[in-house]
Amino acid sequence: NMVTEGRLSIYDIPQEFLPWQIAAVRKRNANPRVVDPVIESAHRAAQAFEATAENGRYFSAGQP
């Protein structure tokens, strides 16, 4: 582990991010067994961000 080895330090730095829109596209006929888990993972990450602190005031995870 890089933290326990002293090669990496973690700093608690409060940072406010302004809202932005994210759009994603995928290749037609892409393998859904590959693409769908990636889309779901990104959606879960966006939902988690939205639920953190007051991010929901500025950000909406929307629908996958």
Side-chain angles (χ1 to χ4, degrees):
N1 183 314
M2 293 176 68
V3 174
T4 57
E5 293 173 0
R7 300 186 322 165
L8 178 69
S9 298
I10 299 174
Y11 297 94
D12 185 21
I13 301 172
Q15 176 66 48
E16 184 174 320
F17 292 94
L18 297 175
W20 72 97
Q21 289 187 344
I22 300 173
V25 296
R26 67 178 172 167
K27 182 179 175 182
R28 185 177 297 145
N29 300 322
N31 184 339
R33 289 181 292 163
V34 174
V35 175
D36 289 351
V38 173
I39 293 170
E40 287 299 320
S41 176
H43 191 240
R44 283 192 307 273
Q47 287 177 317
F49 177 79
E50 180 182 7
T52 303
E54 294 186 24
N55 293 333
R57 285 185 12 191
Y58 308 105
F59 177 86
S60 174
Q63 298 296 319

